[in-house]
Amino acid sequence: MFEEGKLWKNRFGDGLKELSRYLRYILNGHIVIVLVFLFGMAAFYYQEWLKGVPEDFPAAAIMAVLLGVLLTYSPVYTFLTEADKIFLLPVENRLSGYFRRSLGVSWAVQAYLLLMGLGIFMPMYAVVNGGSFEPFLFFLIGSLAVKLLNLLIRWHVQYYVEKNTKMIDSVIRYCLNAAFLYLLFSNAGILFLLPVPAVLLVLWLYFRKQTEPKGLKWEYLIEQEERRMTSFYRLANLFTDVPKLKDRVKRRKWLDWLANRIPYGQDKLHAHLYMRTFIRSGDYFGLFIRLTVIGGAALYLISFGMGQILLVLLFLYLTGFQLLPLRNHHENKLWIQLYPLKEEWREKAFTSLLSAVLYLQTIILSLVVLLKGDGLAALASAAAGAVFSWVFANIYSRRKLKN
């Protein structure tokens, strides 16, 4: 006999085991120490920045715009697998309790993220509003109630197959959420706050009524669950091999000129291979872009003085460390082993690519420092970054990969 409670318990337990299995590797890595140091530096600069915040600073508007994203983004963690669209389809009408539990877990996880986001912005709010933290509990309760309505609406919107419906839903909810948060942080009265939750409640009731005759979109729900786990697997893959991780490859024709610049020759095969893997794989190229953008923003907004140099080195380390798996990306492909190529050519190709990527990131981050008008710090950042890049690529990476 089918028992939805037992099914949920097994799926939720398996999900926790999978997460804890890889979290052990992630939390034991050197990158955690770097991230702790990075967050500590960000907290220090944030505290220093707060000392100069004027009383007319638009804290309510900024908090509404940014926290509105957390309220609007409301995925439902279903723990579904590919086979469920076949084996669970016949009992779809008996899975209401299963999905209620999914909504409950999803709300709890996203409530924690909302709590963290609110905790980050409350010092700024307190500075602008006379140093008072008293409204924090009221803000939290109001935000969590609206988050629940967002989650319920999103669940019913997933019954639609039209992408435009999902996009329009997100835009409308974001506008409503941002308006609610702005009124909330502006200390507006209850009479001004209630209309927004009332509209969200009406939307939920409307979508619930409209989706009653519709069936679950199993392919969409499974795809969303696979994307969520793939994101986690990509993070875990930086620390250990993840057999379940599926590679994403994208042509990116506009970057072919980078590979075409490499001359042809027997000793250049791995140079071509690593370059095309880097520019076509979302895991590596996307990682470089994201860390460079985040590093540039952090340098421009939250750092000054010698702290800029340390921040440049931190992001170079994060980039270099997370590019190390590229060295063994094709390790399990037999055809690579069949070529009569020297191992030193392979080592040279990887070292050259890693050096080039880190040198390029050094130049970009140093230019960001220069844009702030600090020429001496920019020059020091470039010099320190160049030395660090050479040492990391030619010494550290080789020792790390041999272990």
Side-chain angles (χ1 to χ4, degrees), residues 341-375:
L341 301 173
K342 298 179 181 179
E343 183 64 22
E344 62 187 66
W345 294 345
R346 180 182 181 183
E347 295 292 342
K348 182 179 178 181
F350 176 73
T351 301
S352 298
L353 176 62
L354 184 59
S355 299
V357 171
L358 294 180
Y359 286 144
L360 176 60
Q361 192 175 53
T362 298
I363 293 172
I364 295 173
L365 295 180
S366 299
L367 287 175
V368 173
V369 178
L370 184 62
L371 287 175
K372 297 173 65 177
D374 197 339

Side-chain angles (χ1 to χ4, degrees), residues 230 234 237-238 245-248 252 277-278 280-288 290 322-323 329:
T230 299
R234 286 199 192 98
N237 193 52
L238 303 174
L245 182 63
K246 298 178 181 178
D247 294 332
R248 290 189 310 163
R252 294 194 178 95
T277 302
F278 172 74
R280 294 182 177 182
S281 172
D283 294 341
Y284 304 114
F285 182 76
L287 175 92
F288 168 73
R290 287 192 298 272
Q322 296 183 71
L323 287 179
H329 186 86

Side-chain angles (χ1 to χ4, degrees), residues 287-305:
L287 175 92
F288 168 73
I289 296 297
R290 287 192 298 272
L291 285 177
T292 303
V293 171
I294 295 172
L299 282 168
Y300 193 82
L301 296 174
I302 67 173
S303 64
F304 54 85

Side-chain angles (χ1 to χ4, degrees), residues 21-22 25 236-245 325 328 332:
R21 174 186 175 188
Y22 290 109
Y25 296 102
N237 193 52
L238 303 174
F239 305 90
T240 185
D241 293 330
V242 182
K244 295 182 180 180
L245 182 63
N328 298 320
N332 297 324

